[in-house]
Amino acid sequence: MPEVQDFDQPTTLSADLVVDGGARTPGHPAALTVEVPGDKSVSHRALLAALLPGAPSRLTLRGANLGGAVRALLPALRGLGLRTHTDGDTLTVERDGAPVPQPVRPHPTVTDWPEGVPYLETGGSSAAARLLIGLLAGTGRSAVVDGDETLRHRPMDWLVTPLVQLGADIRYLAEPGRLPALVRTPVRRPGAVDLAVGSAQARSGVLLAAVAARLAVEIRHPVRSRDHTERMLSAFGARLTEGPGAVGYDGGAYTVPPVVDIPADPSLAAYPVAAQLLGHGGGELRVPDVCLNPTRLGFFEVLRRAGADLGYEDTRPGSSGETVGTIVARGGLDGVTAVRVDDPATLHTLIDEVPLLALVAARLPGTSWIGCAEELRFKETDRLTTTARMASAFGARVEVADDGLRVTGGAPLAAGEVPGFEDHRIAMAAATLAMSLPGRTTVLGGGCHRTSFPDFAEVQRAVGADITEVATV
Ligand code: S3P
């Protein structure tokens, strides 16, 4: 089994996505099936389970997402003495290695990096950084966690503040609330903490810290966002309680299994499904083995409620406490009405699909509203602004409000040059809309789809796209 050497290479190819769209995506056979990669969130969590006390010396993830965001964790794991191997989409982590030191990324204000603790860089992945900080704060392993320039601007106090309340010693080495952060000592005081935001990464980081430390906690949260961590830990045998607005852990035992199967990613399934709906290609599109966790299905649910022919078949229990099944999309957007998202729980079920939903809404009659979306300002980009700017480049009418997007449907849309802002969700949404527009669209910097969906172009080709990737350097 080869050791994963290429994981330290840049994960974002400098490339544009060039899409030659038609007024109608060519019709495909009556029933077409496409597969999408493993779920990014479940992959992150399962990978980090290798750091939980008592984890097996060899942990295997089958069907892992191997995009840049998940790869971003691997050098950090090696920095902690774990060895990583890949074979297709099977990822194995072994505990028998010696720590491989990572080079320190220079920082304009930090000159005195702490001596003798591992330096762990997590690229641009906020999930990698936040969940890793949680695991370190639970296991008591001291380390510096850092990220690339984008990640250094994203908030960490959503997670660090409650960890400090639970007794962890975590210090910011540069700006308050921002990476790099030094985790010095673990959580040690049981009790209740209140999260300021609905971010699942924040809640998961605190929960992983508590479970790693076997510390009883109650984590009160404003919104029930994706619950993969809770499901995974419960499947491992940890006793969690779920009440309105809170998750509790009693400090009890659990067992990490040697193999975790990762279901396909519903956020990635959204792109071929949107291509089907926007393309009016007729027929039926099936995406099998997808994670059907209800905290992730908002894109499909909101459109289904608005009249789209979307459903789930072959549903069955999967690994890590998740339900899996086939997403089925039939027909297009005829008869579908404007969409409305105006509660935080629904927003969190489609938080990564907002750029795509906004573009679909531009094709619907009337005015759509995607609200309660303040947290989108803290993604890889300020996604309210970048979604509106990308959509406007097509001619769509998208207004940015403090907490959401208002989309006035029916404006004529045209192919052209559109910005991708080096944000994978923006670039993939743009390329998907472009499939249905006559003429050539160039999504600048669209190669960033590799962050979460390395075979995006191949999958979209299978649903009728004429899409190529053109290197820019
Ligand atoms: C994720 C949670 C979401 C999501 C991100 C992955 C996770 O972020 O946008 O792509 O794996 O927990 P927030 O928790 O910050 O909302």
Side-chain angles (χ1 to χ4, degrees):
M1 217 185 278
E3 180 140 10
V4 183
Q5 291 299 355
D6 59 333
F7 278 3
D8 289 335
Q9 312 264 320
T11 52
T12 303
L13 181 72
S14 289
D16 296 336
L17 282 176
V18 177
V19 184
D20 287 303
R24 285 167 177 272
T25 304
H28 53 65
L32 179 72
T33 297
V34 294
E35 291 178 9
V36 297
D39 189 79
K40 175 167 80 68
S41 293
V42 180
S43 298
H44 270 137
R45 286 152 175 78
L47 197 48
L48 283 167
L51 292 176
L52 286 169
S57 57
R58 173 187 253 237
L59 176 65
T60 300
L61 277 57
R62 292 192 299 217
N65 181 309
L66 291 178
V70 176
R71 294 184 198 193
L73 260 181
L74 299 182
L77 292 182
R78 293 207 293 272
L80 292 169
L82 298 173
R83 287 158 60 87
T84 57
H85 308 264
T86 187
D87 182 8
D89 60 7
T90 297
L91 181 56
T92 306
V93 192
E94 283 178 342
R95 216 198 270 247
D96 62 356
V100 179
Q102 279 189 261
V104 175
R105 180 186 287 275
H107 190 284
T109 63
V110 184
T111 45
D112 50 342
W113 294 95
E115 295 278 333
V117 299
Y119 173 88
L120 309 175
E121 218 243 271
T122 55
S125 173
S126 60
R130 291 180 179 139
L131 302 185
L132 180 62
I133 288 173
L135 255 309
L136 295 169
T139 53
R141 297 184 73 162
S142 185
V144 172
V145 177
D146 201 359
D148 68 11
E149 288 317 312
T150 330
L151 192 53
R152 281 177 175 174
H153 287 99
R154 296 179 66 185
M156 292 295 139
D157 42 6
W158 296 347
L159 158 79
V160 168
T161 302
L163 290 175
V164 169
Q165 285 165 0
L166 293 172
D169 182 349
I170 303 176
R171 295 180 188 181
Y172 297 112
L173 299 178
E175 273 178 63
R178 300 286 184 267
L179 296 180
L182 168 63
V183 182
R184 296 185 71 208
T185 61
V187 292
R188 60 194 156 76
R189 277 197 295 272
V193 285
D194 290 289
L195 299 183
V197 287
S199 164
Q201 294 174 8
R203 197 180 72 247
S204 297
V206 178
L207 185 55
L208 286 168
V211 168
R214 303 276 303 267
L215 190 76
V217 288
E218 184 186 40
I219 305 168
R220 297 191 286 244
H221 50 74
V223 188
R224 187 76 171 73
S225 49
R226 67 187 65 191
D227 63 359
H228 304 298
T229 311
E230 287 83 350
R231 285 171 186 258
M232 181 184 81
L233 293 171
S234 299
F236 293 174
R239 277 188 307 272
L240 303 185
T241 48
E242 296 266 356
V247 54
Y249 164 60
D250 68 358
Y254 51 87
T255 307
V256 180
V259 178
V260 178
D261 286 312
I262 311 294
D265 192 323
S267 294
L268 304 185
Y271 298 100
V273 166
Q276 157 83 21
L277 296 176
L278 289 163
H280 302 264
E284 178 182 283
L285 179 72
R286 303 174 72 83
V287 190
D289 304 322
V290 178
C291 178
L292 295 183
N293 182 322
T295 62
R296 295 290 302 284
L297 298 180
F299 176 80
F300 311 103
E301 287 301 297
V302 163
L303 284 168
R304 199 164 64 86
R305 282 199 289 274
D309 189 348
L310 297 170
Y312 316 108
E313 292 179 8
D314 313 323
T315 53
R316 59 196 186 278
S319 183
S320 291
E322 301 288 352
T323 297
V324 295
T326 301
I327 296 180
V328 184
R330 297 186 185 91
L333 291 175
D334 289 345
V336 180
T337 57
V339 296
R340 195 163 178 88
V341 176
D342 49 16
D343 69 282
T346 303
L347 186 277
H348 275 275
T349 63
L350 51 78
I351 192 159
D352 291 334
E353 286 69 77
V354 168
L356 188 62
L357 186 62
L359 292 182
V360 173
R363 281 299 208 197
L364 300 176
T367 302
S368 291
W369 167 245
I370 306 171
C372 303
E374 311 77 3
E375 284 180 38
L376 256 80
R377 295 200 182 271
F378 303 99
K379 296 290 175 193
E380 283 85 334
T381 56
D382 168 352
R383 265 196 203 144
L384 295 182
T385 303
T386 51
T387 297
R389 286 177 57 194
M390 173 272 289
S392 309
F394 285 109
R397 287 172 58 198
V398 179
E399 287 163 62
V400 182
D402 285 349
D403 63 340
L405 295 173
R406 183 168 290 103
V407 184
T408 309
L413 305 182
E417 197 172 271
V418 299
F421 297 106
E422 293 297 330
D423 181 333
H424 55 135
R425 308 283 182 196
I426 300 285
M428 292 192 290
T432 301
L433 174 67
M435 290 167 61
S436 66
L437 301 175
R440 172 163 291 192
T441 295
T442 301
V443 183
L444 300 171
C448 63
H449 66 82
R450 284 186 167 65
T451 298
S452 58
F453 198 166
D455 48 357
F456 171 75
E458 288 86 328
V459 169
Q460 293 297 55
R461 265 183 226 123
V463 290
D466 180 348
I467 180 167
T468 42
E469 204 154 336
V470 179
T472 50
V473 283

